Amino acid sequence: MSVLVLNSGSSSVKYQVLEADSGRSLCSGIVERVTDYSAALREVFDALTAAGVHTDDLVAVGHRVVHGGRRFYQPAVIDDELLAKIDELAPLAPLHNPPAVLGIREARKLLPGLPHIAVFDTAFFHDLPAAAAEYAIDREVAERWHIRRYGFHGTSHRYVSEQAALFLDAPLDSLNQIVLHLGNGASASAIAGGRAIDTSMGLTPMEGLVMGTRSGDLDPGIIMYLWRAAGMTVEDIETMLNRRSGVYGLGGETDFRELHKRVDAGDDDARLAYEVYIHRLRKYIGAYLALLGRADVITFTAGVGENDALVRRDALTGLSSLGIELDETLNSAPERVARRISADKSPTTVLVIPTNEELAIARACAAVLEG
Ligand code: ADP
């Protein structure tokens, strides 16, 4: 069961062909600086051919779709109607859904004989408890405009929480978990017995943790103030909050390896960026500990979470009174596989687990095909 997984973003198309059952990756890559999705997908197909993957061997194409809105969350075979609906959700995810629609459209043209399946990033959070999902705003406005916390990176939070249970050889439904997905985009989730009970991203992927270029949480008053006092347009503000904020906005850098180098060299902006990032992360960890009552396991994943021992140390240091104790030797070992980094005596187990959204998408596609 080989599935081609496509993640069509605003400037790149990531692709991977995987066997859904074995998890073996047959071919993967990224086409960058995409302006023409038709050309980008032809490039993908050339790469598949060069890697000896024949499209005849594929059983489906899985597409990552960021926002499913209120109605779509289960993985679904894409027809013209579903594609039009995903397109209509563009105002909710202006940076993410339009490129996904373009990618899907071109892929369907190039591979018309295969089922194309949408896997939504919001799915895992569809059943958040109302107390977590609802914003405390005028109820009529919220209902009329479908305003709620949708949550994103759901494929990763689900996959990583399942892998954590496998790693611990414990039933998923027995575990209270916190998952920290720290990549360019970053989000946290609290998971009780396999079910998400809160997550840091909201109506859009802008809320929550400090990210590479996104601000995360801020006072909504800032937006009104910038509009009124600074004369910025909605587009100006959106661009600033999405592309010129976060670690980059504060420290002029998105790559954490460079950020650390600059901190070490005495750069005050870089230090501030790092401190604000860690402060927010600790705040969410504390909030989720309070929601869960206790955490059996805290798992770091994605580019920063998997690789940055300093971020992991600074996120969890000094929390032994809350049952969290890292083993610094395990934490700083440069391994790339799923591993424990907490001390043996730590009541909360801390793990690093590489995420694999592509595999999770391929498996979701296989499940759809198997009905
Ligand atoms: P996304 O999928 O959201 O684009 P990734 O999960 O690939 O992002 O994470 C990208 C981030 O991971 C970048 O901020 C980069 O700095 C960070 N990163 C990658 N490798 C390392 C490393 N060895 N040490 C620290 N940070 C790293």
Side-chain angles (χ1 to χ4, degrees), residues 14 153 181-185 254-257 260 302-304 307-308 357:
K14 289 187 197 157
H153 293 145
H181 176 113
L182 310 177
N184 275 316
T254 59
D255 190 314
F256 272 69
R257 288 159 289 198
H260 289 304
V304 177
N307 296 300
D308 198 320
E357 291 166 278

mmCIF file of all heavy atoms in Angstrom, residues 14 153 181-185 254-257 260 302-304 307-308 357, ligand 1:
data_model
loop_
_atom_site.group_PDB
_atom_site.id
_atom_site.type_symbol
_atom_site.label_atom_id
_atom_site.label_comp_id
_atom_site.label_asym_id
_atom_site.label_seq_id
_atom_site.Cartn_x
_atom_site.Cartn_y
_atom_site.Cartn_z
ATOM 1 N N LYS A 14 6.138 19.675 -0.108
ATOM 2 C CA LYS A 14 6.871 18.539 0.441
ATOM 3 C C LYS A 14 6.183 17.277 -0.029
ATOM 4 O O LYS A 14 4.952 17.226 -0.062
ATOM 5 C CB LYS A 14 6.864 18.567 1.968
ATOM 6 C CG LYS A 14 7.721 19.654 2.576
ATOM 7 C CD LYS A 14 7.776 19.475 4.096
ATOM 8 C CE LYS A 14 8.262 20.749 4.756
ATOM 9 N NZ LYS A 14 7.874 20.899 6.135
ATOM 10 N N HIS A 153 -1.667 21.058 13.769
ATOM 11 C CA HIS A 153 -0.642 20.030 14.002
ATOM 12 C C HIS A 153 -1.279 18.776 14.620
ATOM 13 O O HIS A 153 -0.600 17.990 15.285
ATOM 14 C CB HIS A 153 0.453 20.502 14.994
ATOM 15 C CG HIS A 153 1.320 21.618 14.506
ATOM 16 N ND1 HIS A 153 1.791 22.595 15.351
ATOM 17 C CD2 HIS A 153 1.822 21.897 13.285
ATOM 18 C CE1 HIS A 153 2.556 23.441 14.660
ATOM 19 N NE2 HIS A 153 2.583 23.032 13.410
ATOM 20 N N HIS A 181 4.959 20.256 20.286
ATOM 21 C CA HIS A 181 5.404 20.205 18.892
ATOM 22 C C HIS A 181 6.083 21.541 18.605
ATOM 23 O O HIS A 181 5.419 22.569 18.443
ATOM 24 C CB HIS A 181 4.189 19.986 17.966
ATOM 25 C CG HIS A 181 4.529 20.023 16.508
ATOM 26 N ND1 HIS A 181 4.452 18.914 15.686
ATOM 27 C CD2 HIS A 181 4.944 21.030 15.714
ATOM 28 C CE1 HIS A 181 4.823 19.247 14.460
ATOM 29 N NE2 HIS A 181 5.118 20.536 14.455
ATOM 30 N N LEU A 182 7.419 21.513 18.576
ATOM 31 C CA LEU A 182 8.186 22.754 18.432
ATOM 32 C C LEU A 182 8.954 22.728 17.115
ATOM 33 O O LEU A 182 10.053 22.167 17.041
ATOM 34 C CB LEU A 182 9.152 22.918 19.615
ATOM 35 C CG LEU A 182 8.553 22.744 21.030
ATOM 36 C CD1 LEU A 182 9.647 22.868 22.093
ATOM 37 C CD2 LEU A 182 7.438 23.769 21.276
ATOM 38 N N GLY A 183 8.355 23.280 16.078
ATOM 39 C CA GLY A 183 9.033 23.389 14.784
ATOM 40 C C GLY A 183 9.072 24.861 14.428
ATOM 41 O O GLY A 183 9.204 25.708 15.317
ATOM 42 N N ASN A 184 8.952 25.172 13.139
ATOM 43 C CA ASN A 184 8.771 26.587 12.784
ATOM 44 C C ASN A 184 7.456 27.075 13.361
ATOM 45 O O ASN A 184 7.382 28.114 13.998
ATOM 46 C CB ASN A 184 8.791 26.760 11.270
ATOM 47 C CG ASN A 184 10.196 26.888 10.761
ATOM 48 O OD1 ASN A 184 11.005 27.605 11.352
ATOM 49 N ND2 ASN A 184 10.504 26.185 9.689
ATOM 50 N N GLY A 185 6.397 26.309 13.091
ATOM 51 C CA GLY A 185 5.158 26.509 13.825
ATOM 52 C C GLY A 185 5.294 25.724 15.119
ATOM 53 O O GLY A 185 6.033 24.740 15.170
ATOM 54 N N THR A 254 15.363 32.743 12.707
ATOM 55 C CA THR A 254 14.404 31.681 12.999
ATOM 56 C C THR A 254 15.099 30.370 13.353
ATOM 57 O O THR A 254 14.501 29.506 13.979
ATOM 58 C CB THR A 254 13.460 31.376 11.813
ATOM 59 O OG1 THR A 254 14.255 30.988 10.709
ATOM 60 C CG2 THR A 254 12.611 32.573 11.467
ATOM 61 N N ASP A 255 16.346 30.219 12.918
ATOM 62 C CA ASP A 255 17.027 28.940 13.157
ATOM 63 C C ASP A 255 17.618 28.936 14.571
ATOM 64 O O ASP A 255 18.456 29.773 14.908
ATOM 65 C CB ASP A 255 18.128 28.741 12.113
ATOM 66 C CG ASP A 255 18.684 27.323 12.171
ATOM 67 O OD1 ASP A 255 18.969 26.841 13.287
ATOM 68 O OD2 ASP A 255 18.822 26.696 11.107
ATOM 69 N N PHE A 256 17.187 27.986 15.382
ATOM 70 C CA PHE A 256 17.618 27.963 16.780
ATOM 71 C C PHE A 256 19.116 27.729 16.934
ATOM 72 O O PHE A 256 19.711 28.159 17.915
ATOM 73 C CB PHE A 256 16.814 26.922 17.572
ATOM 74 C CG PHE A 256 15.550 27.516 18.124
ATOM 75 C CD1 PHE A 256 14.521 27.873 17.288
ATOM 76 C CD2 PHE A 256 15.422 27.766 19.483
ATOM 77 C CE1 PHE A 256 13.361 28.464 17.784
ATOM 78 C CE2 PHE A 256 14.280 28.347 19.995
ATOM 79 C CZ PHE A 256 13.244 28.699 19.150
ATOM 80 N N ARG A 257 19.723 27.029 15.975
ATOM 81 C CA ARG A 257 21.176 26.838 16.078
ATOM 82 C C ARG A 257 21.898 28.190 16.010
ATOM 83 O O ARG A 257 22.813 28.473 16.765
ATOM 84 C CB ARG A 257 21.672 25.919 14.954
ATOM 85 C CG ARG A 257 21.258 24.472 15.175
ATOM 86 C CD ARG A 257 21.275 23.671 13.901
ATOM 87 N NE ARG A 257 20.177 24.074 13.022
ATOM 88 C CZ ARG A 257 19.726 23.355 12.013
ATOM 89 N NH1 ARG A 257 20.291 22.212 11.725
ATOM 90 N NH2 ARG A 257 18.726 23.781 11.278
ATOM 91 N N HIS A 260 21.194 30.338 19.238
ATOM 92 C CA HIS A 260 22.072 29.998 20.359
ATOM 93 C C HIS A 260 23.472 30.604 20.173
ATOM 94 O O HIS A 260 24.059 31.123 21.110
ATOM 95 C CB HIS A 260 22.206 28.479 20.509
ATOM 96 C CG HIS A 260 20.960 27.818 21.011
ATOM 97 N ND1 HIS A 260 20.346 28.181 22.180
ATOM 98 C CD2 HIS A 260 20.202 26.816 20.492
ATOM 99 C CE1 HIS A 260 19.267 27.429 22.362
ATOM 100 N NE2 HIS A 260 19.154 26.599 21.349
ATOM 101 N N ALA A 302 9.227 17.571 16.716
ATOM 102 C CA ALA A 302 9.470 18.521 15.608
ATOM 103 C C ALA A 302 10.876 19.120 15.720
ATOM 104 O O ALA A 302 11.593 18.852 16.694
ATOM 105 C CB ALA A 302 8.404 19.598 15.532
ATOM 106 N N GLY A 303 11.258 19.907 14.724
ATOM 107 C CA GLY A 303 12.656 20.336 14.539
ATOM 108 C C GLY A 303 13.360 20.812 15.802
ATOM 109 O O GLY A 303 14.455 20.343 16.117
ATOM 110 N N VAL A 304 12.758 21.742 16.528
ATOM 111 C CA VAL A 304 13.385 22.250 17.750
ATOM 112 C C VAL A 304 13.238 21.219 18.870
ATOM 113 O O VAL A 304 14.202 20.895 19.569
ATOM 114 C CB VAL A 304 12.741 23.596 18.166
ATOM 115 C CG1 VAL A 304 13.343 24.099 19.475
ATOM 116 C CG2 VAL A 304 12.904 24.632 17.057
ATOM 117 N N ASN A 307 15.637 18.252 18.472
ATOM 118 C CA ASN A 307 17.086 18.484 18.339
ATOM 119 C C ASN A 307 17.702 19.420 19.366
ATOM 120 O O ASN A 307 18.911 19.449 19.512
ATOM 121 C CB ASN A 307 17.387 19.066 16.946
ATOM 122 C CG ASN A 307 17.045 18.094 15.843
ATOM 123 O OD1 ASN A 307 17.597 17.005 15.800
ATOM 124 N ND2 ASN A 307 16.111 18.467 14.984
ATOM 125 N N ASP A 308 16.893 20.240 20.010
ATOM 126 C CA ASP A 308 17.458 21.320 20.805
ATOM 127 C C ASP A 308 17.414 20.987 22.298
ATOM 128 O O ASP A 308 16.415 21.224 22.986
ATOM 129 C CB ASP A 308 16.708 22.616 20.510
ATOM 130 C CG ASP A 308 17.497 23.830 20.961
ATOM 131 O OD1 ASP A 308 18.104 23.758 22.047
ATOM 132 O OD2 ASP A 308 17.504 24.833 20.236
ATOM 133 N N GLU A 357 4.488 13.057 10.367
ATOM 134 C CA GLU A 357 3.150 13.390 9.889
ATOM 135 C C GLU A 357 2.829 12.680 8.575
ATOM 136 O O GLU A 357 1.692 12.316 8.327
ATOM 137 C CB GLU A 357 3.023 14.916 9.719
ATOM 138 C CG GLU A 357 3.024 15.634 11.060
ATOM 139 C CD GLU A 357 3.239 17.134 10.945
ATOM 140 O OE1 GLU A 357 4.412 17.542 10.834
ATOM 141 O OE2 GLU A 357 2.258 17.882 10.965
HETATM 142 P P1 ADP B 1 8.234 22.976 10.164
HETATM 143 O O1 ADP B 1 7.900 21.570 9.763
HETATM 144 O O2 ADP B 1 7.274 23.624 11.083
HETATM 145 O O3 ADP B 1 8.679 23.865 9.049
HETATM 146 P P2 ADP B 1 10.468 21.747 11.573
HETATM 147 O O4 ADP B 1 9.748 20.807 12.458
HETATM 148 O O5 ADP B 1 11.275 21.214 10.451
HETATM 149 O O6 ADP B 1 9.525 22.911 11.087
HETATM 150 O O7 ADP B 1 11.437 22.607 12.522
HETATM 151 C C1 ADP B 1 12.195 23.657 12.013
HETATM 152 C C2 ADP B 1 12.951 24.260 13.182
HETATM 153 O O8 ADP B 1 13.784 23.277 13.756
HETATM 154 C C3 ADP B 1 13.834 25.451 12.831
HETATM 155 O O9 ADP B 1 13.515 26.521 13.697
HETATM 156 C C4 ADP B 1 15.234 24.968 13.157
HETATM 157 O O10 ADP B 1 15.955 25.970 13.766
HETATM 158 C C5 ADP B 1 14.990 23.881 14.165
HETATM 159 N N1 ADP B 1 16.077 22.912 14.175
HETATM 160 C C6 ADP B 1 16.371 21.983 13.237
HETATM 161 N N2 ADP B 1 17.481 21.292 13.582
HETATM 162 C C7 ADP B 1 17.907 21.796 14.764
HETATM 163 C C8 ADP B 1 19.015 21.522 15.640
HETATM 164 N N3 ADP B 1 19.904 20.565 15.362
HETATM 165 N N4 ADP B 1 19.110 22.251 16.748
HETATM 166 C C9 ADP B 1 18.226 23.214 17.041
HETATM 167 N N5 ADP B 1 17.161 23.525 16.261
HETATM 168 C C10 ADP B 1 17.021 22.837 15.133
#
